[in-house]
Amino acid sequence: MDDRLSGAGGRPFCPYDRWVTDLLAEYDAHLRTAAEVQGAVEVQRRGPLWIALFSGGRLFVTYQELDDPSGRVAEVAALICGDDSIQQVEWKTRSHDHAPGLEAALVCADFTAGESESVMLGEASTLIGSEPPTGVTLRRLTLPEEIRAALDMQDAVFGGTPHADRMLREILNRQSNGENLELWAAEADGRIVCAGRIDPIAGTPFAGIWGGATLPAYRGRGIYRALTAARVRSAMSHGTRWIHSDSTEFSRPILERAGLVKITETVPWTWERAAR
């Protein structure tokens, strides 16, 4: 880790623009490729591409730099066509990458762009000060049935294709392999009202916060902020110093107020095999 990334009181020594540039460099160096394919069943390396197969026939494509975007998309498209077990593919783009023609190639290969998200990064210690409001309890979920209940709640909040079945398998598999992935929930009025994961990156001082979802009736009360603090405190006990997240417009302002910085944008491009 570059010493320029912190100063007295966690403040940078460099101007703000340089601070963001340094954070972006750390993101590219530590949080792409291998860090994104933890828990994969199989990982292929094809030139700059990391192609990871997860359970349930889900393929994930990532890289640090991309040569010949059109050719690389065609390569993945050929892989998909040649393997009927692949049911879904995600290709993440980043706004700071230089990859002319990539989006057009993805469209031609029948990928669909999802909603743009802000990539946030900053000191873990800036996120740990919040406590839940009265009547709200925070806890780590450990039983399969309670993890499933939280995932069902997240599916209801996010809408679209349900992911609870797939995520439950991945979480339990990764935990059984000794990974420190955790799912936390906030409970109020006898039910789960907010949930999210914390995912330390093995061999680095980074952890990701993912899947944060709050039921509409419970928003605006500081519950998500308190749940984030609880997750981060847990990760810090395992040596985490830096937190990153791909954030929607609901969570981005909360993380910004806590001190995280938007360093780039990401868009998930997805492909799904048509039902027969």
Side-chain angles (χ1 to χ4, degrees):
M1 179 68 66
D2 192 331
D3 288 337
R4 292 173 299 175
L5 287 183
S6 66
R11 301 303 300 170
F13 290 119
C14 47
Y16 181 79
D17 287 348
R18 182 59 179 272
W19 171 240
V20 174
T21 299
D22 286 344
L23 288 175
L24 186 56
E26 293 296 322
Y27 172 79
D28 283 337
H30 295 285
L31 298 176
R32 300 179 69 169
T33 62
E36 298 176 280
V37 299
Q38 293 186 131
V41 175
E42 177 186 345
V43 179
Q44 297 184 38
R45 296 289 306 277
R46 298 195 177 192
L49 300 181
W50 291 57
I51 304 174
L53 179 65
F54 290 84
S55 60
R58 184 173 68 93
L59 208 67
F60 180 79
V61 181
T62 187
Y63 45 87
Q64 285 180 322
E65 296 180 353
L66 192 63
D67 60 351
D68 185 20
S70 296
R72 295 301 179 183
V73 172
E75 190 173 353
V76 171
L79 176 63
I80 295 169
C81 291
D83 188 346
D84 288 343
S85 69
I86 299 172
Q87 299 298 309
Q88 183 186 56
V89 184
E90 179 181 346
W91 183 304
K92 286 184 68 170
T93 64
R94 277 85 168 185
S95 61
H96 69 286
D97 284 345
H98 179 69
L102 175 58
E103 293 185 357
L106 288 168
V107 170
C108 288
D110 294 326
F111 281 75
T112 301
E115 293 293 325
S116 175
E117 297 183 334
S118 299
V119 178
M120 310 295 294
L121 181 60
E123 287 268 11
S125 59
T126 66
L127 293 164
I128 62 174
S130 299
E131 298 294 334
T134 302
V136 177
T137 301
L138 309 178
R139 65 185 181 95
R140 178 186 173 187
L141 304 180
T142 58
L143 300 177
E145 57 268 28
E146 61 188 13
I147 293 174
R148 176 57 191 258
L151 296 172
D152 285 337
M153 185 278 293
Q154 291 176 324
D155 276 349
V157 170
F158 291 131
T161 303
H163 298 292
D165 286 340
R166 172 178 63 80
M167 287 304 306
L168 180 61
R169 289 193 299 269
E170 288 189 16
I171 290 171
L172 295 179
N173 181 63
R174 292 181 61 187
Q175 289 177 338
S176 69
N177 289 333
E179 296 187 39
N180 289 325
L181 172 67
E182 299 175 358
L183 183 66
W184 284 71
E187 295 173 314
D189 304 320
R191 60 175 175 163
I192 294 174
V193 300
C194 181
R197 306 187 305 280
I198 185 78
D199 193 353
I201 308 300
T204 79
F206 290 88
I209 47 176
W210 305 106
T214 308
L215 292 176
Y218 292 85
R219 293 174 185 165
R221 296 168 52 183
I223 297 175
Y224 172 80
R225 185 166 61 251
L227 186 69
T228 297
R231 288 183 282 169
V232 171
R233 283 194 293 267
S234 180
M236 289 179 70
S237 71
H238 298 292
T240 290
R241 180 184 174 189
W242 301 91
I243 294 293
H244 73 103
S245 177
D246 294 352
S247 300
T248 67
E249 287 306 294
F250 289 111
S251 56
R252 178 190 57 77
I254 299 172
L255 297 178
E256 282 184 330
R257 288 194 294 270
L260 268 62
V261 176
K262 177 179 177 178
I263 56 172
T264 190
E265 293 183 354
T266 181
V267 174
W269 288 76
T270 58
W271 175 95
E272 293 192 16
R273 189 173 297 280
R276 295 180 178 177

